């Protein structure tokens, strides 16, 4: 079941931060949060942007990241440890690179599980393996803690605008309790089912994203080599059956030399595709279309683009096509 802004059963309809009162010090009641205190662990590309939205929405955040400077940079009150975040919060959000990192943060010494208490809610916004999610859900449930797997989609731009989509697994009641919090950074929230369902939906979505990005990159390089006007080509694709998120939102910027830096890296995109393949194996479904994005992002990661935004896959394909770029670089 899904909720969207403006519907009668909307979860977290956003309001103007200016209408919510001035931001108080950490620990004071946040608007619409019934006094719940918010903690955030993992303040990188996505976590930092989401934290900034939460803070600007009037909800003080206690934050922790391995890079200690990040908390203050996004408006959070810095915490010295994971345990300090958990002990000082009622709702704890995680935004971490993968299941290995999530398990270390939750199950490790001084981690979320050890510091948790009955009645808390832990929300994992990461892209993680559903099997790991179910295991963590069970471990936290023994301590009376709700664990929601809440994958987010929309990228860095949507995070900054507060228009992310959330696909969540776990308790529907716990999800609904967080409507005001989610409303600061998400436009749509979907309850997908039991624990692991949110992360399953995220893997399926990310795989389609990987396919469309890799395939569109290949098409655009071919269009450039064929001498087509790429703006007109995109107009054709966006008015035809080949339209997709990449043609609509990525390549109109890329052909101008703007790669939309700050989003999902090539290495993380490859991780997501591998997680998808692994999960389909557990479901008994053949991953017949995985070879394309695995090859494309494998190429990009092996030729120096792993830590750059995944949109750079078009440059990797361009490199092996004779040094093609989709735009004319300025002459020095």
């Amino acid at each position: 079941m899904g909720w969207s802004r403006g519907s009668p059963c909307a979860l977290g309809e956003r309001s103007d931060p200016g209408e919510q009162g001035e931001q108080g010090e950490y620990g004071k009641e946040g608007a619409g949060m019934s006094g719940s205190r918010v903690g955030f662990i993992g303040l990188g590309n996505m976590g930092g942007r989401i934290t900034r939205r939460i803070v600007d929405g009037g909800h003080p955040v206690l934050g922790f990241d391995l890079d200690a400077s990040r908390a203050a940079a996004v408006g959070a009150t810095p915490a010295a440890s994971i345990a300090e975040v958990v002990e000082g919060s009622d709702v704890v959000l995680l935004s971490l690179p993968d299941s290995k990192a999530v398990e270390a943060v939750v199950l490790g010494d001084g981690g979320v599980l050890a510091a948790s208490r009955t009645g808390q809610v832990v929300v994992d916004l990461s892209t993680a393996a559903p099997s790991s999610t179910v295991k963590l859900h069970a471990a936290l449930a023994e301590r009376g803690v709700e664990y929601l797997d809440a994958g987010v989609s929309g990228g860095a731009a949507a995070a900054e605008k507060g228009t992310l989509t959330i696909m969540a697994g776990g308790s529907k009641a716990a999800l609904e309790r967080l409507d005001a919090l989610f409303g600061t950074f998400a436009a749509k929230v979907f309850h997908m089912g039991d624990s692991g369902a949110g992360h399953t939906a995220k893997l399926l979505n990310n795989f389609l994203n990987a396919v469309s990005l890799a395939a569109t990159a290949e098409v655009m390089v071919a269009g450039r080599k064929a001498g087509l006007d790429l703006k007109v080509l995109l107009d054709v694709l966006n008015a035809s059956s080949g339209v997709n998120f990449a043609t609509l939102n990525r390549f109109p910027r890329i052909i101008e030399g703007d790669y939309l830096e700050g989003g999902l890296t090539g290495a993380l995109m490859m991780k997501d595709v591998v997680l998808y393949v692994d999960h389909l194996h557990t479901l008994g479904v053949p991953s017949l279309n995985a070879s394309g994005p695995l090859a494309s992002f494998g190429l990009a990661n092996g030729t120096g683009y792993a830590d750059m935004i995944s949109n750079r896959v078009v440059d990797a394909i361009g490199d092996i096509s004779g040094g093609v770029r989709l735009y004319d670089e300025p002459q020095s």
Side-chain angles (χ1 to χ4, degrees), residues 98-99 127-130 203 206-207 210 266-282 287 290-291 293-295 297-298 301:
D98 52 32
S99 291
T127 303
L203 291 181
N206 278 22
F207 176 68
L268 290 176
M269 180 71 87
M270 176 65 94
K271 179 266 297 183
D272 289 355
V273 176
V274 171
L275 279 177
Y276 166 84
V277 172
D278 288 345
H279 193 49
L280 259 63
H281 177 71
T282 67
S287 50
S291 58
L294 286 173
F297 293 103
N301 293 349

Side-chain angles (χ1 to χ4, degrees), residues 14 26 41 46 76 98 127 139 145 223 240 274 321-322:
R14 292 188 300 125
Y26 181 79
I41 299 170
M46 288 298 289
D98 52 32
T127 303
V145 178
S240 304
V274 171
S321 302

Side-chain angles (χ1 to χ4, degrees), residues 29-331:
E29 180 174 332
M33 286 297 293
S34 300
S36 293
R37 299 167 299 168
V38 180
F40 210 114
I41 299 170
L43 306 173
N45 280 334
M46 288 298 289
R49 287 175 166 87
I50 293 171
T51 296
R52 171 56 71 183
R53 289 291 313 182
I54 294 170
V55 171
D56 288 350
H59 311 299
V61 174
L62 184 61
F64 176 81
D65 192 275
L66 292 177
D67 181 345
S69 67
R70 286 179 173 172
V74 296
T77 299
S81 66
I82 293 169
E84 183 180 335
V85 172
V86 178
E87 290 165 359
S89 305
D90 303 303
V91 180
V92 178
L93 297 98
L94 313 176
S95 182
L96 301 163
D98 52 32
S99 291
K100 182 178 179 181
V102 174
E103 290 192 9
V105 164
V106 175
L107 302 177
D109 292 340
V112 173
L113 181 64
S116 66
R117 64 186 180 278
T118 298
Q120 286 180 302
V121 180
V122 177
V123 182
D124 184 12
L125 303 170
S126 316
T127 303
S131 58
S132 173
T133 297
V134 171
K135 178 176 71 174
L136 296 177
H137 178 273
L140 284 161
E142 291 183 0
R143 295 181 68 98
V145 178
E146 295 283 5
Y147 188 68
L148 299 174
D149 49 297
V152 295
S153 184
E160 289 181 354
K161 295 176 183 177
T163 58
L164 288 167
T165 296
I166 295 176
M167 51 213 87
S171 165
K172 181 180 176 182
L175 183 65
E176 291 178 339
R177 282 164 48 198
L178 303 181
D179 59 352
L181 177 62
F182 285 159
T184 62
F185 62 89
K188 293 184 179 181
V189 178
F190 296 91
H191 183 238
M192 301 305 299
D194 293 336
S195 179
H199 280 158
T200 294
K202 179 67 189 297
L203 291 181
L204 301 183
N205 175 80
N206 278 22
F207 176 68
L208 290 178
N209 176 42
V211 170
S212 63
L213 175 54
T216 304
E218 184 177 298
V219 164
M220 296 301 287
V221 169
R224 177 74 167 183
K225 288 207 75 171
L228 301 182
D229 183 317
L230 296 186
K231 290 183 179 180
V232 176
L233 176 58
L234 282 173
D235 287 342
V236 169
L237 295 175
N238 288 331
S240 304
S241 57
V243 63
N244 61 69
F245 187 85
T247 62
L248 286 169
N249 298 288
R250 301 183 190 278
F251 282 91
R253 301 277 290 274
I254 294 172
I255 64 173
E256 301 293 339
D258 177 6
Y259 289 85
L260 301 164
E261 298 291 356
L264 189 73
T265 66
L268 290 176
M269 180 71 87
M270 176 65 94
K271 179 266 297 183
D272 289 355
V273 176
V274 171
L275 279 177
Y276 166 84
V277 172
D278 288 345
H279 193 49
L280 259 63
H281 177 71
T282 67
L283 295 173
V285 177
S287 50
L288 303 176
N289 294 288
S291 58
L294 286 173
S296 297
F297 293 103
L299 168 70
N301 293 349
T303 53
Y305 299 100
D307 295 325
M308 300 182 187
I309 191 168
S310 54
N311 294 340
R312 291 278 182 177
V313 67
V314 69
D315 286 354
I317 295 172
D319 288 345
I320 63 170
S321 302
V324 176
R325 291 293 180 269
L326 301 189
Y327 54 91
D328 294 321
E329 298 189 50
Q331 300 294 319

